[in-house]
Amino acid sequence: EEIILEQIEEEQLHKAISLLPEKLRHRIELYYFEGMTYEEIALIEGCSKSAIKYSIDNAKKKIKKYLKNF
């Protein structure tokens, strides 16, 4: 039962990420799934580290809100 609940939670997390705007989704994927730093993402995208941090923090809030409503 615990494994099933974990699988459901993981599916919901991926669903929440998929609902993000493309730029936020891409930054979340680079940061969490590719293990890149804010600095590395900023260098690739040609923007500031603070812009990346703000964007990722914003995406996390949206994901939490989605999961809370689930």
Side-chain angles (χ1 to χ4, degrees):
E1 184 176 315
E2 186 174 321
I3 293 172
I4 293 171
L5 289 175
E6 287 176 10
Q7 185 177 5
I8 291 170
E9 289 172 356
E10 185 175 331
E11 289 172 5
Q12 289 305 312
L13 176 59
H14 286 286
K15 173 69 174 173
I17 292 170
S18 75
L19 295 173
L20 291 171
E22 184 177 346
K23 185 179 278 191
L24 292 181
R25 184 175 62 248
H26 182 67
R27 290 175 176 178
I28 283 286
E29 290 171 352
L30 291 175
Y31 186 73
Y32 284 104
F33 299 110
E34 300 296 326
M36 295 179 73
T37 65
Y38 296 143
E39 293 87 357
E40 292 169 329
I41 299 168
L43 185 62
I44 289 171
E45 295 195 4
C47 62
S48 69
K49 177 180 115 174
S50 61
I52 298 298
K53 181 179 181 332
Y54 176 82
S55 184
I56 289 174
D57 288 346
N58 187 32
K60 288 191 305 188
K61 287 178 188 174
K62 290 178 184 235
I63 290 168
K64 286 179 185 177
K65 183 178 180 181
Y66 174 85
L67 293 175
K68 183 180 177 185
N69 290 331
F70 174 69

